[in-house]
Amino acid sequence: MTEAIRLPDAEAAGDQKAAADLLPLVYLELRRLAAARLAGESPGHTLDPTALVHEAFLKLGGARPFSTRTDFLKAAAEAMRRILVDHARARNAAKRAGGRRVDLESGHLVSRPRDDALSALDDALSRLAGDHPQLAELVQLRYFGGLTLAECAQAIGVSARTADTWWAYARSWLAVEMDRS
Amino acid sequence: MNELEVFAAAVAVADPVDRAAFLERECAGEPAKRARLDALLHAHGESDSLLDRPAVASPGPDPARTTGHDGEAADEHETPLGFLAPTNRPDSLGRIGHYEVLQLLGRGGFGIVLRAYDEVLHRVVAVKVLSPQVATTSPARKRFLREARSSAQVRHENVVQVYEVGEQPLPYIVMEFIPGETLQQRLDRVGPVDVLEVVRIGRQIAEGLAAAHANDLIHRDIKPANVLIEGGTQKVKITDFGLARAVDDASISQSGVIAGTPMYMAPEQAKGEKLDCRADLFSLGSVVYQMATGRPPFRAESTLGVLKRVAEDDPRPVREIIPETPGWLCDIIVKLHAKKPDDRFQSAREVAAVLADCEGRLKGNAKLEDFSRTPSGETARTQAGRRKWVVVAVVAVLVGVGAWFGHAAALELGNRSELEILPEQGLVSMILLHNDVGVIDENQPHRAVTDWLDMRQPRTLTLSPGRYQLNVTTQPAGTTVSHYEIAAVGMFGSYRNLIPVVQSSAIVTVERGQRVTLKPVMRPLPVPTPDSAAPDGTLPAIFKNSIGMEFVKVPKGSGWLSGGSGKPGETTVQIAADFYLGKYEVTQQEWENMTGLISSHFSRTGPGSEAVKGVPDAELKRFPVESVSWGECQIFIERLNTKEKDSGRVYRLPSQQEWVYACRGGPVDRIGSAFDFYFAKPVNTLLMNQANFAPAEGQGLQRTCQVGSYPPNRLGLHDMHGNVWEWCDDSEAATDGTPGRVRRGGGWLHGPETCSAGRVGGAYPESARNFNHGFRLACSIRDVLDVKP
């Protein structure tokens, strides 16, 4: 056959960016919800990240076509990771600065894991993404997105068995990595 | 093996000695690799990883959500009972208050459930104790005590009676002991129960709820595991007002924390909105649904999935699962499942009355016949409620001119959508398939919504939003559905359009809250033309060649070249001799037969295989070949000419003048008839039932389709407009150095203007391939060529 030149028409490859396009929207909505929940609450009030993601999903996901469900979950996982990690870092910083109260702008979400552990996980996860991007995606979806392993497998497009192996490996990989730092 | 593979293999070796031997082999001479793997495997063995408690919870065994009188089986040896006071009774595990604990019944809710003996009143009781782990946190303790106090207010034979609330050494509730099983256990054991049983149990739950609601208590967690069935009497009792609070105590809703079991939750609960008693009625609907069908109505793999389904989807109709379910029972479930509380029954009392009425009728009629769709009640209140119920079932017929009325009605639809299909002469039945991958059932993207739809009367279906596929199953002989006229009215406006029928099915997109009306439009099936020479010796109108390709005669004459876009033709064209043009674009099968190549994007092995996954092999073979270069087309032509060298036929690509001439249906005498599109008659707008193209509304196929899926032009040529661009020869114009290749007709990827007769596709490299480009053949007959001067 002669050398192939593919000249795709404009609309040909548009889907890849869907999750990335959604991210700012989901991120803002999650932050907005967190702020609304905190307004008028007593200091130190905690929020349930799970409930936040659910609510954001119903608000944003509901207005969008179903085909973007996976995109939403990917974006939500990414957004939740940023919010939780930013918040953990902000509180760490506040502690070092002598316990000054952190304003809402820097996020007032309270997550269960210790702030420094979360921050370390974020760093380790970024390093994992350098070596094994799909494994990092899996961890992000499961840990910050609340997906089951089977759903992660579907979202990433691998078999449940592969996802299981990946998870075991990523979990150990991250544990070793976090231990080291 | 890379590190991941070695790790996975090592994990698979359970025996530590074997595993060490395996690692020894794999890491021989590489101590660093060995140390690294040892560290990884050590981490693997550690149970307490941060990652094991996701920041955003996924569902899983969650003891706080599996409650019940004797809930989850529990092992006495695993559950610490150290908080119990010592006892002298040999059969007792210990004491709490004046109760001798006899047995651990289960674990659930916020703690454990014990069977105990009341030393004072000499009766067996159930004692629910807050687990030591959670008793230390003040909110859980408060919540537990609040639960206990609120449920103690309710005294009713269908509610488990709370006798006493204690706080030492741990908070506990003493309640009526009900020997028997939970409804969940019953359903697990027997599957769907018969109609009389559904009604009997449902009625008793409704009565228990009515008693609770009379005390301003919302249960908030009605589910089969919280319904006990007493052995012997078979009396039904609601237990675990675990989430019950007084109606005015809405703090939990406002905190944004979603409480309760999502699978049975009401939509307003799933959305974290303010609740009233009617939330329990939705959950009751789910329990009744599960009794009737054996499965919960809203299932998904994750909590998120369940919440979304609860909030937005209608469950699969009961009759699709158990076809013999009486219509009135389905109606009751549908009404309990209304997404908006105002559309439900308005009180548990009303539900109890309706179910009691049904129960009475069923007992009087042992055959369980479908006696009535709207059982009559006794009180004025139920009558009023029922009238509303009938109104809900009656759906206004939307016709195009009534769009403004429809608009107001659409606003009331909320999350639901309605699809109405108008009857058409001779049309008997259809099937509606859900076409939305990943919504209803991820394993079955083409879930049948209806098994069989009687089309002799208008049909209105309440659907969840999504893409649906409509297939006609029975149609009059000699005709077929050509297309549907669609009128849609929704929250964001209305539109009218046409939906094409391609390969006997049509795709309709139903938006949230939209009311869609479809009117089928029939057309006669084409009558085959005889394949033989006319008696006067002129060329046959059509012929079929040695590999089954069909050709249509294009009579000589004159016409207009170019034109379109509102402009008349600019150049006349003279076609001196009759010639033939392929009736269809060259198909994938024809291409494969001649070249042995599988080139197409939209094929089983091509990059677009996903888009044609549902297309049967027989149809896919008849898709146009695409992603073929100009040069490859020449190879095809050369081989075909070699194969048929004695036939007197000469195959070639059409010249662009021939192509336009044929597209316009042959001789065109007046300049004013240079329109954009040519079918049975020339028109200036392209409709969705005329060609495979990409309309602005986004309803197009987004891929190629079987050739001949759309009506032909007046010469009998199919897909001249759309489907794929077609290579045409332009060597006559090539003297000035232009490439001598053009493309005509537009493709599935393009809007209507590109698919017009007058539009010419620009220069394209000889070796270029595109999934939007194919070709059709022209053919001259040697005798005719010889006649040419």
Side-chain angles (χ1 to χ4, degrees):
Chain A
M1 279 190 133
T2 51
E3 190 198 353
I5 307 167
R6 191 172 280 284
L7 300 176
D9 291 75
E11 307 94 312
D15 285 358
Q16 295 301 320
K17 279 172 57 222
D21 290 347
L22 269 174
L23 181 59
L25 186 67
V26 175
Y27 182 76
L28 287 175
E29 179 65 14
L30 285 171
R31 285 192 62 107
R32 199 188 61 71
L33 287 171
R37 290 278 166 269
L38 284 168
E41 295 285 356
S42 57
H45 182 82
T46 61
L47 281 174
D48 179 355
T50 308
L52 275 186
V53 173
H54 290 174
E55 193 171 342
F57 182 61
L58 288 166
K59 287 223 163 97
L60 295 173
R64 302 189 150 261
F66 286 123
S67 58
T68 60
R69 178 170 177 271
T70 307
D71 299 331
F72 173 84
L73 293 173
K74 284 183 178 172
E78 173 75 32
M80 193 45 89
R81 175 178 170 188
R82 288 192 194 174
I83 290 173
L84 291 175
V85 171
D86 286 354
H87 175 60
R89 296 222 164 100
R91 284 210 312 192
N92 276 347
K95 267 180 226 151
R96 281 194 294 277
R100 186 168 49 85
R101 229 192 115 191
V102 181
D103 65 9
L104 191 61
E105 235 350 83
S106 54
H108 228 216
L109 279 172
V110 175
S111 54
R112 256 176 301 170
R114 292 200 343 270
D115 295 335
D116 48 351
L118 202 55
S119 177
L121 173 64
D122 182 56
D123 292 341
L125 199 51
S126 299
R127 286 195 291 275
L128 179 62
D131 288 5
H132 306 284
Q134 283 186 300
L135 267 61
E137 170 97 53
L138 172 76
V139 172
Q140 181 164 303
L141 281 172
R142 189 167 185 197
Y143 187 80
F144 292 104
L147 270 68
T148 63
L149 205 50
E151 286 174 321
C152 295
Q154 206 172 9
I156 299 175
V158 297
S159 72
R161 224 181 118 193
T162 302
D164 205 45
T165 307
W166 284 7
W167 172 257
Y169 178 69
R171 180 181 172 277
S172 298
W173 196 101
L174 290 167
V176 169
E177 196 67 24
M178 287 164 73
D179 216 29
R180 185 188 295 167
S181 53
Chain B
M1 284 201 279
N2 64 26
E3 188 177 275
L4 169 68
E5 288 162 344
V6 178
F7 173 84
V11 167
V13 182
D15 185 88
V17 178
D18 292 348
R19 184 186 285 186
F22 168 79
L23 289 170
E24 201 64 47
R25 268 199 316 279
E26 280 300 322
C27 308
E30 295 177 87
K33 183 178 176 187
R34 175 63 192 264
R36 166 81 181 157
L37 277 161
D38 280 343
L40 285 171
L41 289 165
H42 175 74
H44 180 72
E46 291 286 305
S47 59
D48 191 32
S49 165
L50 174 68
L51 289 167
D52 296 338
R53 298 178 305 277
V56 175
S58 62
D62 179 356
R65 285 192 174 147
T66 44
T67 60
H69 199 46
D70 47 359
E72 232 174 47
D75 186 343
E76 287 165 19
H77 305 291
E78 284 181 5
T79 307
L81 296 174
F83 62 89
L84 296 177
T87 174
N88 296 325
R89 267 178 72 145
D91 60 344
S92 171
L93 300 169
R95 290 173 65 88
I96 184 165
H98 57 269
Y99 304 94
E100 290 281 356
V101 176
L102 305 175
Q103 188 191 355
L104 177 66
L105 289 173
R107 242 183 302 201
F110 292 89
I112 54 173
V113 185
L114 306 164
R115 185 167 66 89
Y117 188 73
D118 182 340
E119 294 279 76
V120 176
L121 294 173
H122 297 281
R123 61 182 175 185
V124 175
V125 295
V127 181
K128 192 172 171 188
V129 186
L130 188 62
S131 75
Q133 291 92 328
V134 284
T136 50
T137 65
S138 146
R141 194 184 180 100
K142 278 186 194 156
R143 186 166 165 182
F144 183 84
L145 293 170
R146 186 161 49 200
E147 162 195 348
R149 292 191 188 107
S150 60
S151 53
Q153 297 167 28
V154 186
R155 285 168 190 265
H156 189 269
E157 62 171 345
N158 297 117
V159 175
V160 174
Q161 177 64 49
V162 170
Y163 295 138
E164 189 190 346
V165 180
E167 292 195 50
Q168 290 302 327
L170 292 166
Y172 65 92
I173 309 174
V174 183
M175 56 187 137
E176 193 181 0
F177 175 70
I178 312 290
E181 60 184 347
T182 67
L183 178 57
Q184 183 67 56
Q185 289 163 335
R186 165 81 57 99
L187 294 175
D188 289 346
R189 196 162 52 79
V190 305
V193 297
D194 69 42
V195 173
L196 179 58
E197 193 75 348
V198 170
V199 171
R200 193 185 67 80
I201 296 172
R203 190 255 306 158
Q204 294 186 64
I205 299 172
E207 285 178 358
L209 281 176
H213 293 172
N215 283 297
D216 282 346
L217 276 170
I218 312 173
H219 189 290
R220 288 171 193 258
D221 197 17
I222 289 291
K223 59 182 176 181
N226 279 343
V227 173
L228 305 183
I229 302 171
E230 195 170 28
T233 66
Q234 294 295 298
K235 186 160 282 180
V236 173
K237 289 180 186 269
I238 306 170
T239 185
D240 193 9
F241 277 72
L243 299 172
R245 279 145 209 271
V247 173
D248 58 350
D249 177 13
S251 63
I252 195 163
S253 304
Q254 280 156 20
S255 72
V257 176
I258 296 168
T261 307
M263 222 181 261
Y264 303 90
M265 209 177 244
E268 60 270 30
Q269 233 169 333
K271 292 175 184 166
E273 293 168 2
K274 189 162 164 46
L275 308 184
D276 60 27
C277 298
R278 295 172 297 181
D280 284 345
L281 300 186
F282 186 95
S283 305
L284 172 60
S286 296
V287 172
V288 173
Y289 182 102
Q290 187 171 351
M291 285 195 283
T293 63
R295 57 179 86 162
F298 302 101
R299 288 181 302 172
E301 222 175 310
S302 67
T303 311
L304 268 181
V306 172
L307 285 172
K308 186 165 170 55
R309 295 210 52 196
V310 165
E312 294 188 348
D313 289 0
D314 290 320
R316 189 173 171 192
V318 174
R319 272 189 170 171
E320 275 183 23
I321 303 162
I322 310 284
E324 60 271 26
T325 311
W328 53 263
L329 182 56
C330 301
D331 290 348
I332 289 171
I333 294 170
V334 166
K335 190 164 166 64
L336 288 166
H337 267 163
K339 299 290 183 207
K340 281 169 39 183
D342 287 348
D343 294 338
R344 292 177 206 147
F345 290 95
Q346 293 302 297
S347 71
R349 174 71 47 224
E350 186 183 344
V351 181
V354 169
L355 289 172
D357 183 51
C358 298
E359 194 179 349
R361 284 163 177 260
L362 279 172
K363 282 176 177 163
N365 179 356
K367 286 178 187 166
L368 303 184
E369 279 173 3
D370 199 348
F371 48 81
S372 162
R373 294 184 69 84
T374 50
S376 71
E378 305 301 322
T379 66
R381 197 173 167 191
T382 26
Q383 297 274 0
R386 193 158 300 120
R387 257 197 301 279
K388 228 184 271 171
W389 177 16
V390 174
V391 172
V392 169
V394 175
V395 176
V397 173
L398 172 78
V399 284
V401 291
W404 284 110
F405 295 101
H407 185 69
L411 291 176
E412 290 165 15
L413 282 170
N415 284 335
R416 293 174 309 134
S417 309
E418 281 178 358
L419 177 63
E420 183 189 25
I421 307 168
L422 300 175
E424 174 68 20
Q425 190 66 40
L427 215 54
V428 176
S429 63
M430 288 192 179
I431 299 176
L432 192 64
L433 299 164
H434 202 291
N435 209 35
D436 229 336
V437 182
V439 177
I440 296 295
D441 184 342
E442 293 175 11
N443 299 319
Q444 293 173 277
H446 289 271
R447 188 180 73 90
V449 174
T450 56
D451 293 332
W452 191 83
L453 209 57
D454 188 340
M455 286 313 303
R456 286 166 294 194
Q457 284 165 8
R459 298 301 307 240
T460 301
L461 305 161
T462 302
L463 301 163
S464 53
R467 274 159 65 84
Y468 291 87
Q469 185 180 328
L470 202 55
N471 288 356
V472 173
T473 50
T474 317
Q475 54 197 4
T479 63
T480 185
V481 176
S482 133
H483 60 276
Y484 294 85
E485 290 173 7
I486 178 172
V489 182
M491 285 173 275
F492 306 109
S494 59
Y495 72 90
R496 291 167 66 79
N497 206 336
L498 299 174
I499 295 181
V501 173
V502 179
Q503 287 139 35
S504 79
S505 65
I507 303 284
V508 53
T509 303
V510 182
E511 307 276 356
R512 199 147 66 106
Q514 209 175 42
R515 192 185 294 262
V516 174
T517 305
L518 288 181
K519 179 173 172 21
V521 176
M522 313 295 289
R523 71 170 159 93
L525 285 169
V527 182
T529 323
D531 180 7
S532 63
D536 59 0
T538 54
L539 293 169
I542 62 171
F543 76 84
K544 199 180 260 196
N545 76 2
S546 63
I547 61 164
M549 298 173 73
E550 290 177 71
F551 287 81
V552 168
K553 185 168 80 176
V554 182
K556 63 187 174 189
S558 65
W560 294 94
L561 194 56
S562 195
S565 311
K567 289 189 293 180
E570 292 149 3
T571 323
T572 52
V573 58
Q574 294 291 332
I575 302 294
D578 294 352
F579 69 100
Y580 286 90
L581 193 62
K583 185 174 176 184
Y584 308 111
E585 289 151 348
V586 175
T587 66
Q588 297 189 10
Q589 183 172 36
E590 290 156 0
W591 178 262
E592 202 184 325
N593 282 348
M594 290 310 295
T595 66
L597 300 171
I598 300 173
S599 310
S600 299
H601 178 90
F602 294 110
S603 61
R604 287 283 176 260
T605 50
S609 61
E610 195 63 22
V612 293
K613 200 170 56 179
V615 177
D617 284 342
E619 285 180 14
L620 192 55
K621 286 180 187 166
R622 301 275 302 153
F623 273 45
V625 68
E626 21 79 11
S627 308
V628 288
S629 69
W630 172 272
E632 286 161 356
C633 292
Q634 301 305 324
I635 295 170
F636 179 93
I637 291 164
E638 192 186 313
R639 289 192 184 173
L640 186 57
N641 277 328
T642 306
K643 187 169 192 297
E644 296 200 354
K645 61 181 188 295
D646 299 325
S647 67
R649 297 168 188 151
V650 179
Y651 295 99
R652 54 189 174 77
L653 288 175
S655 73
Q656 70 153 325
Q657 288 84 353
E658 285 172 335
W659 192 95
V660 178
Y661 177 78
C663 178
R664 293 188 163 156
V668 175
D669 52 352
R670 287 179 307 110
I671 196 169
S673 54
F675 283 84
D676 287 344
F677 304 103
Y678 291 83
F679 299 95
K681 57 180 179 186
V683 289
N684 258 335
T685 24
L686 188 57
L687 303 176
M688 289 189 63
N689 63 323
Q690 290 177 323
N692 179 16
F693 68 107
E697 293 85 354
Q699 296 248 13
L701 280 179
Q702 310 289 329
R703 57 162 170 78
T704 55
C705 70
Q706 186 177 346
V707 296
S709 297
Y710 295 87
N713 72 359
R714 71 178 182 206
L715 289 178
L717 299 166
H718 290 269
D719 304 307
M720 295 298 280
H721 301 290
N723 213 11
V724 285
W725 277 110
E726 297 171 17
W727 285 113
C728 291
D729 186 286
D730 197 27
S731 46
E732 274 183 38
T735 48
D736 59 354
T738 50
R741 298 176 299 274
V742 294
R743 297 159 297 141
R744 285 282 184 176
W748 57 271
L749 195 55
H750 297 296
E753 67 291 341
T754 307
C755 299
S756 72
R759 180 66 71 95
V760 55
Y764 219 54
E766 192 176 322
S767 57
R769 300 198 194 103
N770 193 298
F771 62 178
N772 197 26
H773 292 187
F775 68 112
R776 87 173 64 213
L777 286 187
C779 172
S780 302
I781 305 299
R782 200 161 283 134
D783 292 346
V784 178
L785 287 175
D786 293 344
V787 173
K788 268 175 97 174

